[in-house]
Amino acid sequence: MSDPDCQTMLDIRSGEGASTVVFQVFNWKGDIWGGGSTLAAYEDGKAQQVFAQLKQALGSCRSYEGTGWVGKFKATLTMERAPGVGEEAVRFHETIPMGPEHPWDRNEQFTVVRAGNTIVTFTKLNVGGSASFPAALVNRQVERLQNAQRP
């Protein structure tokens, strides 16, 4: 990858380096584009350091190239207003043009929240439209995370 900050962002949002990682898939009625969450648990104090690395990486990562199921792609990142949940949170959108054979863009929203020693990444995908993970569900999941952690 040409931008090491983008690789840092990709690693953190997928839970690389965490001691435990859990993936959850979300499907909604009437919406063929699913969503998901990645819950990454860290040793004491490490989640705060990792989240600081994420914020620094998002300060300069604006686009990256990669290879996926459909071949090579270029993703563009757009920062959004972070929700007021957890100890820290960031939100950004990734847009990937699908190419000349498909007139739509692949849009994915990422909401990343630190709650104590965990970092949870909520994702919502859409093609040809906007993508937004339900705020009420983010709030409820983060509240559960905070309540589940021992002081």
Side-chain angles (χ1 to χ4, degrees), residues 54-124:
L54 174 65
K55 289 194 291 190
Q56 182 178 347
L58 287 171
S60 66
C61 176
R62 289 295 164 249
S63 67
Y64 67 91
E65 294 180 3
T67 304
W69 292 104
V70 295
K72 291 184 178 192
F73 66 86
K74 182 174 182 177
T76 303
L77 273 66
T78 307
M79 294 303 297
E80 296 182 353
R81 185 168 174 236
V85 296
E87 279 82 27
E88 307 177 81
V90 294
R91 181 177 283 154
F92 58 96
H93 233 91
E94 244 181 46
T95 304
I96 301 172
M98 298 294 285
E101 64 278 1
H102 303 288
W104 317 287
D105 289 343
R106 179 185 190 278
N107 293 298
E108 194 163 6
Q109 182 194 60
F110 295 87
T111 302
V112 188
V113 181
R114 184 180 69 81
N117 291 323
T118 60
I119 295 176
V120 60
T121 302
F122 298 95
T123 63
K124 177 64 179 91

Side-chain angles (χ1 to χ4, degrees), residues 133-148:
F133 200 96
L137 186 52
V138 170
N139 294 342
R140 190 169 41 218
Q141 295 290 82
V142 170
E143 184 179 329
R144 287 177 179 159
L145 265 178
Q146 290 173 313
N147 291 338

Side-chain angles (χ1 to χ4, degrees), residues 4-52:
D5 284 336
C6 291
Q7 187 62 56
T8 297
M9 175 272 302
L10 291 169
D11 290 346
I12 292 170
R13 80 176 189 204
S14 65
E16 290 290 322
S19 56
T20 304
V21 180
V22 177
F23 301 99
Q24 184 176 12
V25 175
F26 291 88
N27 291 301
W28 291 276
K29 275 186 184 177
D31 184 353
I32 64 168
W33 307 109
S37 68
T38 302
L39 175 64
Y42 294 88
E43 303 294 325
D44 282 345
K46 189 157 186 232
Q48 195 168 0
Q49 295 170 359
V50 169
F51 206 88

